[in-house]
Amino acid sequence: MDSTTIRTRRLLTFATAALLVAGVSACSGTGSTSDTAEKSKTGPVKMEFWGWAGYEKIVDQWNASHPNAKVTFKKIPSGGTGGYTQISNAITAGEGPCLAQIEYQAIPSMLVKNTVMDITKYASADMAKYAPSAVSASSIGDKIYGVPVDVGPMVLFYRKDLFAKYGITKPPATWAEYKADAKKVAAADPSVKFGNAPSEGNDLAAYTLQTGQSWYSVQGDSWTVSIDNPGTRKVAEFWQDLKDKGLVSKSGNAWDPKFNKAATAGKVLTFVNASWAAGGIKSDLKDLSGKWRVAPMPTWKAGDGKSSSNGGSATSVMTGCKTPREAVQFADFLSSDPQAVKTGIESGLYPASKAGQEDPSLTGGDPYFGGQKVGDVYKASAAQVPSTWTNGPTYQQVQTDLTGAMGKGSLPDAVTKVQASTVAAIKKLGLSVTNG
């Protein structure tokens, strides 16, 4: 998924981090070496920054105002499609970048590989600038492993014109209402789908997060894997039922040609995803400007207000970086400098910066969405994400296994299969693990 992904999450406990890796102590050692190198460093600092988001302009802004600390940006594949492997391989070969874009849910996996540096002493004084949930997602216990960049509050994108056509007077506030509206549309025209079912592992995780249940927990020195939990099963069974009844499409996203074709033809009414998905809708469906609107994500219980988050990343300093202080200064600039934040917003990022969320481009009306103040919906969603989620140490395995299983069989079956494969994957890391 080319997003900056799963959301606003509470990560591991500090005690767990000690379990993850022999490399934790190596990180501390690297920090000492870096301190020595930093003190002896003379002349202009040069740093490489690897990532897949549209950071080029922000890097140019930094370089223009910081002549003694130059950053070179290298575009790599998104983390889940090979970027993390490329970063890890480069660090192992002694040719890694000083900084990298790391999704929140991937930080534990990168720590297992001893690729991210503890930047607490350089970054802690500035963390109050950012949404607490994003700070938590960039940290493990009381150690900071990245400066938050963006978050991905979940919302419901919907076609106001098609709602009117099919007699739907308001966006569904609950998943029960969502299903009822889907039935109403199908009864009027079976060729029209109310929305699209989750088709990737990240999607299923985001829907599960809303239920308040987590896929992982830690007891003492052992992981517990609970992917096959009541919350995930409720989500999987709900969407599988809608798929089986033909009420939603089996796949599709705002960046998917199939979704774009269906939307252009008036054959799909809604799309549930993070705020960043608005960029895909706007760029690929320009002719539908003024017809889309944004509403809160439907909830499982009326009035509980719970939302979710899908996407989001931090800028991490990588093991081996000899100028961590300057690296953190750049990361903080990228995430909190007003002009840098504005540039990020223009490229589709919803800022983790508290001040950034008040940028006029987010608080004003959006012409594409009929003048609606969609930033208000995003901000409210970001404040309603449960803080019950713990990320695990095998992110890429879970994403790959789930996406593959969801494409080959039913969603409930995929949940069962990946429960087993994840336990096996964590065992291979040499960690203690049990079934939840």
Side-chain angles (χ1 to χ4, degrees):
M1 174 182 293
D2 190 17
S3 68
T4 51
T5 144
I6 301 170
R7 335 312 85 237
T8 304
R9 302 284 172 97
R10 183 174 62 190
L11 292 175
L12 310 168
T13 63
F14 179 61
T16 304
L19 291 175
L20 286 179
V21 211
V24 169
S25 58
C27 284
S28 300
T30 301
S32 299
T33 301
S34 297
D35 289 346
T36 302
E38 186 178 19
K39 290 176 182 177
S40 62
K41 181 74 177 177
T42 59
V45 171
K46 295 182 180 180
M47 300 176 287
E48 276 201 353
F49 172 36
W50 292 9
W52 54 93
Y55 290 147
E56 292 90 344
K57 289 184 179 179
I58 298 176
V59 170
D60 289 342
Q61 290 164 0
W62 164 270
N63 286 334
S65 58
H66 294 78
N68 294 321
K70 295 294 185 181
V71 174
T72 302
F73 182 65
K74 177 180 177 180
K75 202 75 172 276
I76 62 172
S78 63
T81 60
Y84 295 138
T85 298
Q86 189 171 335
I87 292 169
S88 297
N89 289 344
I91 290 174
T92 299
E95 300 174 350
C98 197
L99 301 118
Q101 177 183 359
I102 307 294
E103 293 164 296
Y104 297 133
Q105 75 272 17
I107 288 176
S109 301
M110 299 301 279
L111 182 57
V112 167
K113 297 176 181 178
N114 192 26
T115 57
V116 291
M117 185 183 293
D118 174 5
I119 57 172
T120 308
K121 71 176 182 178
Y122 303 113
S124 58
D126 293 319
M127 288 299 101
K129 296 178 183 179
Y130 306 107
S133 57
V135 175
S136 176
S138 303
S139 307
I140 297 177
D142 60 354
K143 302 296 183 182
I144 301 170
Y145 290 93
V147 177
V149 177
D150 64 310
V151 291
M154 294 280 279
V155 295
L156 173 76
F157 297 97
Y158 70 98
R159 286 282 297 274
K160 183 179 180 180
D161 59 328
L162 296 182
F163 269 38
K165 177 180 178 179
Y166 292 102
I168 301 172
T169 59
K170 59 183 178 62
T174 65
W175 290 114
E177 291 178 9
Y178 182 98
K179 184 175 181 178
D181 288 340
K183 288 181 176 179
K184 185 174 185 178
V185 171
D189 186 345
S191 70
V192 178
K193 307 301 179 185
F194 194 67
N196 57 288
S199 58
E200 297 181 343
N202 279 347
D203 297 336
L204 193 62
Y207 283 114
T208 301
L209 170 60
Q210 188 190 29
T211 71
Q213 294 193 281
S214 178
W215 284 356
Y216 306 90
S217 62
V218 180
Q219 294 291 332
D221 62 352
S222 180
W223 284 95
T224 297
V225 177
S226 303
I227 293 175
D228 194 355
N229 67 50
T232 310
R233 190 152 289 277
K234 176 169 66 174
V235 168
E237 291 172 353
F238 174 84
W239 287 106
Q240 189 63 48
D241 180 54
L242 266 59
K243 286 173 64 177
D244 292 343
K245 289 181 168 63
L247 304 180
V248 296
S249 61
K250 295 181 179 180
S251 64
N253 277 308
W255 51 89
D256 186 326
K258 291 181 180 178
F259 175 87
N260 294 338
K261 182 178 180 181
T264 300
K267 296 294 185 179
V268 61
L269 277 71
T270 72
F271 176 61
V272 181
N273 213 307
S275 57
W276 50 259
I281 295 175
K282 290 180 178 182
S283 63
D284 294 345
L285 302 172
K286 294 183 178 68
D287 293 341
L288 297 180
S289 178
K291 296 181 178 181
W292 287 94
R293 296 292 187 275
V294 182
M297 183 182 188
T299 62
W300 290 103
K301 183 179 179 181
D304 73 2
K306 288 183 180 179
S307 188
S308 187
S309 183
N310 188 346
S313 65
T315 305
S316 294
V317 180
M318 312 311 290
T319 299
C321 179
K322 293 180 170 56
T323 54
R325 187 186 305 278
E326 290 86 349
V328 171
Q329 289 171 350
F330 166 76
D332 186 60
F333 173 91
L334 184 154
S335 295
S336 65
D337 175 81
Q339 188 56 47
V341 170
K342 186 179 291 294
T343 301
I345 292 171
E346 291 171 353
S347 67
L349 301 178
Y350 186 74
S353 162
K354 296 175 184 176
Q357 293 181 9
E358 302 297 333
D359 187 274
S361 64
L362 294 176
T363 58
D366 189 320
Y368 186 91
F369 293 104
Q372 181 186 1
K373 294 184 177 181
V374 296
D376 293 345
V377 186
Y378 301 154
K379 186 176 180 180
S381 172
Q384 293 293 329
V385 178
S387 58
T388 49
W389 189 273
T390 297
N391 280 311
T394 58
Y395 154 67
Q396 191 56 55
Q397 166 265 319
V398 174
Q399 163 70 356
T400 300
D401 289 0
L402 258 181
T403 300
M406 291 165 70
K408 296 177 181 177
S410 74
L411 299 184
D413 286 348
V415 171
T416 300
K417 290 178 181 178
V418 179
Q419 168 73 25
S421 68
T422 303
V423 170
I426 294 177
K427 284 182 178 178
K428 287 184 179 179
L429 292 177
L431 304 176
S432 174
V433 60
T434 59
N435 274 295

